[in-house]
Amino acid sequence: MVYLISLGAGVLAGVLYGLINVRSPAPPAIALVGLLGMLVGEQVVPVAKRVIEGVPLTRAWFAGECQSKITGVAADANNEAADASRQG
């Protein structure tokens, strides 16, 4: 079933590419922006769930729950990198 959903998503992406006159495979910049959009779009679900439940959206929650999934860098690694840059 997951494969059929994936195929459907690919067909939808192909239709969108056709509508905006982008050839497939897309140029690297367009493809990377599209991938970023997919990563951000995946995080709409947990954010929407919190909003529906009436739980406040905090920066700490977003950093722990969503940021690492978008950037591919673990939250602890972000904190360590920030600490290292402050120490010089």
Side-chain angles (χ1 to χ4, degrees), residues 2-88:
V2 174
Y3 293 107
L4 290 175
I5 294 170
S6 180
L7 177 63
V11 169
L12 180 61
V15 169
L16 291 174
Y17 273 28
L19 290 173
I20 62 173
N21 295 322
V22 174
R23 296 178 56 206
S24 184
I30 293 173
L32 289 174
V33 170
L35 288 172
L36 176 62
M38 289 170 51
L39 291 171
V40 171
E42 287 177 356
Q43 299 314 307
V44 169
V45 174
V47 169
K49 284 181 181 178
R50 280 184 74 95
V51 169
I52 290 169
E53 293 170 355
V55 180
L57 298 173
T58 63
R59 183 180 177 115
W61 175 83
F62 185 83
E65 180 65 27
C66 301
Q67 185 175 350
S68 63
K69 294 175 184 169
I70 294 171
T71 62
V73 178
D76 292 337
N78 285 336
N79 293 336
E80 290 173 11
D83 290 343
S85 68
R86 284 188 209 121
Q87 292 175 358

